[in-house]
């Protein structure tokens, strides 16, 4: 079965305390989250292609629903390991999620 992910530029960064958390989190790639399939990739993998990013304990989450907030995402990813932080970059003027 082919899974088509929604095209969304919005990104959230979830940082873990260990590599084990990263390994478990990337298994959520193309999984169903609050009614939408999400994309989960290692930040190091995603940004190494562009150069200059070396955060080995962070995943990038894309395609999440608009009603998801930091607490919802943290609760979801705590199944993978200790979550240190969830960073949902927002536009300074509008408060909307960047992307």
């Amino acid at each position: 079965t082919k899974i088509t992910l929604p095209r969304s530029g919005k990104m959230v960064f979830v940082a873990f305390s260990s590599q084990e958390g990263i390994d478990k989190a990337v298994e959520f790639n193309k999984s169903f989250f609050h009614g939408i399939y999400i994309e989960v990739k290692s930040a190091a993998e995603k940004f190494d292609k562009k150069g200059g990013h070396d955060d080995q304990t962070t995943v990038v989450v894309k395609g999440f629903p608009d009603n998801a907030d930091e607490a919802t995402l943290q609760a979801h990813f705590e199944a993978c390991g200790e979550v240190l932080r969830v960073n949902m970059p927002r536009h300074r003027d509008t408060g909307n999620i960047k992307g």
Side-chain angles (χ1 to χ4, degrees):
T1 303
K2 182 178 178 181
I3 297 173
T4 303
L5 298 171
R7 302 301 262 164
S8 170
K10 296 183 286 186
M11 288 189 284
V12 171
F13 302 91
V14 181
F16 291 91
S17 63
S18 69
Q19 182 62 43
E20 183 180 348
I22 295 290
D23 295 341
K24 288 181 180 178
V26 296
E27 291 176 10
F28 284 174
N29 189 39
K30 298 184 181 178
S31 67
F32 208 55
F33 172 75
H34 290 250
I36 295 179
Y37 286 101
I38 58 173
E39 178 182 345
V40 182
K41 293 189 177 185
S42 154
E45 174 189 326
K46 182 165 182 61
F47 290 106
D48 277 350
K49 294 175 185 174
K50 296 178 181 178
H53 197 282
D54 61 353
D55 192 348
Q56 300 296 315
T57 60
T58 303
V59 293
V60 178
V61 183
K62 293 177 73 176
F64 54 90
D66 290 334
N67 62 349
D69 60 10
E70 288 93 338
T72 304
L73 288 159
Q74 179 163 344
H76 182 71
F77 283 99
E78 282 178 340
C80 302
E82 181 184 5
V83 175
L84 299 177
R85 69 184 171 281
V86 176
N87 180 6
M88 188 177 280
R90 296 183 180 273
H91 289 282
R92 186 179 328 155
D93 297 333
T94 65
N96 294 335
I97 300 166
K98 286 186 177 181

